[in-house]
Amino acid sequence: MRVLNHHKDIVEKLKKSGITQDMRSLEFCDWIVIEEYNENIVGAAGMGGFFHVSSIQIDKNHRGRGIGKKLQLEIINESRKRNYSFVCVFVDPRNITSINLHSSLGYKRIFRIHYSSEIIQDVMILVLKKRGYVLE
């Protein structure tokens, strides 16, 4: 597992791997954590933007092996190292695997967005420092 700052070479490697075919937001992250197998990217998680939004994508042939949890834990650890106060994710509430993963790591659901009848996203947040907190 490697943490890499955004660079055109890593973006090209992400594209070549096919990992960003379903989730192009990884190509625009400030920094990325990648998991490789036989020199091929099989999973990637990235962080970017003012609201520290994390994106994650696992190759279809490597799902169910714990890669997502490893990537998310590294995103959290690196965010702490970079002195972030919080991190956010946008998760389709029908994606039970992702909801369970993020909930198990301490993320709290704070908002639901209905972009359309087909596209729904829950905003989940993990507070890393007590400078801020979730209002209820």
Side-chain angles (χ1 to χ4, degrees), residues 11 14-15 17-29 32 44-47 53-58 60 63 72 89-92 95 98 102 121:
V11 172
L14 286 166
K15 287 179 182 178
S17 75
I19 204 84
T20 61
Q21 187 173 356
D22 292 332
M23 185 177 292
R24 297 217 40 227
S25 60
L26 286 169
E27 296 173 13
F28 303 99
C29 290
I32 299 167
M47 180 65 70
V53 178
S54 171
S55 300
I56 186 169
Q57 188 67 33
I58 311 299
K60 293 175 181 107
R63 292 182 184 161
Q72 272 301 312
V89 293
F90 286 64
V91 180
D92 185 326
N95 186 341
S98 186
H102 290 94
Q121 294 287 291

Side-chain angles (χ1 to χ4, degrees), residues 67-79:
I67 294 171
K69 188 167 191 169
K70 281 176 56 178
L71 289 168
Q72 272 301 312
L73 285 170
E74 192 62 30
I75 284 283
I76 293 166
N77 290 334
E78 185 67 20
S79 294

